[in-house]
Amino acid sequence: MYPFIVIFLIILVFYNIFVYHLSSKIIFLENNIIELFKKRNNQVISIYQVSKNYINKSDEIFKEFFELKRKDFWENSFKIWLKDKINTYKKIHNEIDFIFNICEKNKKLTINPRYLYLKDSILEKSSKIWNRIEIYNKIKKEYKLYKKIANFSIIWFFYE
């Protein structure tokens, strides 16, 4: 009976180390996604600089984006988790789509090399972001189950 308890304790310890390691990977992935969002959103400011000579009322077009950017900056200063920031990021993403739709209507702007470079870079970052968010959601879903099992096993162990 004694070897069984030792083996069970070893498995329990390794399982909890695995859950802790998975938790740290989730936090790393969250920080990576937030960093990508910051880089992408900062590039939109350059789109504003490039496009203001081509587009009428560019201040009005970018107004909502800048307000959301300020909100994002405020959230970043308080180290808010990704799950709490995702609504702001979705709104920013929609604003970026709106800005690109307006910019694409101006033929002179669409041949500007700086605009094209920035647009490609922003779209590339957006693609990376949504791929990583998909991975993040899958890992987070599995982590919840593993965490419940780990909590139950630890509580059960100390209850006996």
Side-chain angles (χ1 to χ4, degrees), residues 8-76:
F8 177 74
L9 287 176
I10 291 172
I11 291 171
L12 184 66
V13 167
F14 279 117
Y15 180 78
N16 283 294
I17 290 171
F18 164 75
V19 172
Y20 175 77
H21 183 66
L22 188 60
S23 170
S24 64
K25 286 201 175 273
I26 289 172
I27 291 170
F28 176 79
L29 189 56
E30 268 190 18
N31 291 332
N32 185 269
I33 291 169
I34 290 171
E35 208 48 48
L36 277 171
F37 270 116
K38 285 180 191 177
K39 288 177 182 177
R40 182 197 67 175
N41 295 343
N42 287 337
Q43 283 188 315
V44 175
I45 296 167
S46 298
I47 292 278
Y48 171 73
Q49 293 297 323
V50 170
S51 68
K52 72 180 178 181
N53 295 329
Y54 296 96
I55 297 176
N56 296 333
K57 300 181 183 179
S58 61
D59 292 335
E60 292 177 32
I61 293 168
F62 284 84
K63 181 181 179 190
E64 184 69 23
F65 170 78
F66 287 129
E67 288 176 11
L68 289 169
K69 182 85 170 96
R70 275 188 226 105
K71 182 179 179 183
D72 179 42
F73 181 75
W74 178 83
E75 289 173 350
N76 287 336

Side-chain angles (χ1 to χ4, degrees), residues 6 10 13 18 24 56 69 73 83 88 94 114 116 121 131 147 151 155:
V6 171
I10 291 172
V13 167
F18 164 75
S24 64
N56 296 333
K69 182 85 170 96
F73 181 75
K83 68 181 174 94
T88 303
N94 290 336
R114 287 181 59 208
L116 292 173
S121 179
N131 286 337
K147 183 70 173 170
N151 287 342
I155 292 171

Side-chain angles (χ1 to χ4, degrees), residues 93-108:
H93 182 75
N94 290 336
E95 281 303 309
I96 292 171
D97 284 344
F98 170 73
I99 289 167
F100 279 142
N101 286 335
I102 299 296
C103 289
E104 290 296 311
K105 291 179 181 179
N106 187 304
K107 297 298 180 195
K108 289 182 182 177

Side-chain angles (χ1 to χ4, degrees), residues 33 36-37 39-41 43-44 89 92-94 96-97 100 118-134:
I33 291 169
L36 277 171
F37 270 116
K39 288 177 182 177
R40 182 197 67 175
N41 295 343
Q43 283 188 315
V44 175
Y89 287 144
I92 289 174
H93 182 75
N94 290 336
I96 292 171
D97 284 344
F100 279 142
L118 290 167
K119 177 185 165 189
D120 288 343
S121 179
I122 289 170
L123 293 175
E124 179 186 328
K125 283 181 181 63
S126 291
S127 176
K128 283 182 185 177
I129 288 168
W130 298 115
N131 286 337
R132 291 195 179 143
I133 285 179
E134 188 177 312

